[in-house]
Amino acid sequence: MPSLIHRATPGAIPHDVRDLLARFGFSLPKLLTTSNPKTMKGEALGHGRGLILHHLPAKALARAITPANEGTTAARAFIPSLLELAEREGLTAAALAHNGCPWMTAGCGSAEGGCLNFSGHGGLGSTVSAARGRRTLGMIWNPETYARAVLWSIARHYAAARLASETLAVRLRGTDEGPAMGWHRLPVHITPGEALSLRERYGFETSPHTAAPITERLAANPGLYGYEYSKATIQGELGLISQRDHGVDITASFAADRPTACRDGLAALREGFRLAIPVAIKKGSPIPEFVTISAGGESITVPTVDGDRSDHRYLDPHGVAVALRTKNSRGAGPVADLFSLRGHESEQPLADGAVTLSWLS
């Protein structure tokens, strides 16, 4: 890993952050995405602005730098510019080994899975995949400096939101689970000069005296909300409880094709997490009003919220199911069908239990 010196003067972006952005082809405003359709829906509803960080998920970076990978679409195929960048920066081996989604299942993370990375603009061509790949390479190259670049980018958007008298919601796990340590555990060192720059330029408050992770640094600013979806298990240093303990508003993601799908779903609900559940129903069709999950003689029924109205999950109550209509993931194969539940009221047997959706009207 390169050894970079943190230098900042009031009003100046640190040199190491500038270097990283230049190496991987980004500007500070464009490092995170503001034009996601669901965050824009939330803004239209008066929920405030949204900001999402997108990387390549699972093993998609390895496939993108493998010349023999023809893919099912351009977005899933070999991208020469990413291989050139990886080789230039000495990251080829690390990119081939990288797994952005340690809890992936075949239905979402395989070569023809139904990952949302390949829905919408992300599935139309290689341009979006190339940009997400460059971000991923930047994160691998130097995780802490990359985290500081993300922090500076968020601070810039935070200042713009405050100027417009709006809140800002930030989601760092847009299409992956982030750095290997987890965003909530990766220490981010801020010098006194850098803290002064962030305050004077953007009104962003952060302490230079501790190596706090980015999630805790975001939480120190009023009107700035960090939230995430995660397929992580409940326990462990990267688990849902650990993320929540570090100040992350976290929604558990239901993995219908995981051998422990129902037990994991029950565990998340028992701990008070929301549970996001993809359901194969058409746009405009009503979502189920209740979800019942059963496993090992235990059964829990919870109400649902419509997860497609807005992506601002931190505004939803805890302990509910977030129903998400399955999006078209271009280039997905039959295995992607395992990613979602079917849109009917009959009991749906899964590997370790069953799920039932209910419509009352």
Side-chain angles (χ1 to χ4, degrees):
M1 180 187 299
S3 176
L4 298 175
I5 300 173
H6 301 179
R7 292 178 291 172
T9 55
I13 299 172
H15 295 292
D16 58 334
V17 170
R18 285 186 182 275
D19 180 41
L20 184 144
L21 292 171
R23 281 175 179 268
F24 297 96
F26 285 100
S27 64
L28 202 62
K30 299 294 185 181
L31 189 58
L32 285 87
T33 300
T34 59
S35 57
N36 182 279
K38 283 177 65 177
T39 60
M40 293 171 71
K41 286 181 182 179
E43 187 170 355
L45 291 170
H47 295 169
R49 300 186 181 190
L51 202 56
I52 300 182
L53 181 60
H54 290 291
H55 299 125
L56 284 182
K59 298 290 291 183
L61 179 59
R63 293 192 289 268
I65 66 168
T66 300
N69 172 36
E70 296 181 356
T72 54
T73 63
R76 295 176 186 258
F78 171 55
I79 302 175
S81 63
L82 285 182
L83 177 58
E84 293 171 9
L85 179 59
E87 290 183 338
R88 187 190 79 195
E89 300 297 340
L91 293 170
T92 305
L96 290 171
H98 178 70
N99 182 359
C101 305
W103 298 280
M104 71 176 181
T105 56
C108 65
S110 66
E112 296 183 13
C115 181
L116 298 182
N117 179 69
F118 303 108
S119 64
H121 291 294
L124 291 176
S126 62
T127 302
V128 172
S129 284
R132 293 176 181 179
R134 287 187 281 113
R135 290 189 190 96
T136 311
L137 288 169
M139 179 178 68
I140 295 171
W141 185 70
N142 192 308
E144 184 182 347
T145 300
Y146 183 79
R148 290 173 51 251
V150 170
L151 188 73
W152 272 81
S153 181
I154 292 171
R156 187 182 192 281
H157 289 282
Y158 176 61
R162 291 182 68 195
L163 189 63
S165 299
E166 293 183 323
T167 59
L168 179 66
V170 179
R171 180 178 160 197
L172 300 177
R173 295 176 176 87
T175 37
D176 76 328
E177 292 282 350
M181 285 188 66
W183 287 116
H184 63 294
R185 295 178 61 241
L186 177 67
V188 179
H189 296 81
I190 299 293
T191 66
E194 191 173 354
L196 179 61
S197 293
L198 287 164
R199 181 184 305 115
E200 291 191 348
R201 192 167 193 176
Y202 302 122
F204 184 91
E205 298 291 338
T206 193
S207 171
H209 303 298
T210 60
I214 189 171
T215 52
E216 294 181 17
R217 293 188 182 280
L218 299 185
N221 290 272
L224 182 55
Y225 303 96
Y227 74 104
E228 305 290 354
Y229 298 84
S230 178
K231 278 194 173 183
T233 53
I234 290 290
Q235 303 296 336
E237 291 182 333
L238 299 177
L240 298 174
I241 292 175
S242 177
Q243 294 184 49
R244 182 173 63 188
D245 289 347
H246 284 80
V248 182
D249 185 293
I250 194 84
T251 298
S253 294
F254 187 74
D257 58 339
R258 183 182 287 163
T260 55
C262 294
R263 281 176 287 169
D264 291 344
L266 288 173
L269 290 172
R270 281 197 304 268
E271 286 289 338
F273 292 101
R274 307 177 201 91
L275 186 62
I277 302 179
V279 183
I281 51 178
K282 295 180 180 180
K283 182 178 180 180
S285 298
I287 64 166
E289 294 171 71
F290 293 92
V291 172
T292 300
I293 301 177
S294 304
E298 180 184 5
S299 181
I300 294 180
T301 298
V302 294
T304 64
V305 297
D306 188 343
D308 291 326
R309 291 188 69 246
S310 168
D311 197 58
H312 291 54
R313 293 280 73 81
Y314 66 94
L315 295 173
D316 293 334
H318 291 278
V320 301
V322 180
L324 297 165
R325 296 171 181 83
T326 303
K327 309 302 185 296
N328 176 33
S329 182
R330 293 177 176 83
V335 70
D337 292 341
L338 303 173
F339 180 72
S340 306
L341 297 176
R342 303 301 98 188
H344 58 66
E345 291 192 291
S346 299
E347 182 180 85
Q348 301 185 49
L350 300 179
D352 66 334
V355 178
T356 303
L357 311 178
S358 303
W359 287 259
L360 299 183
S361 56

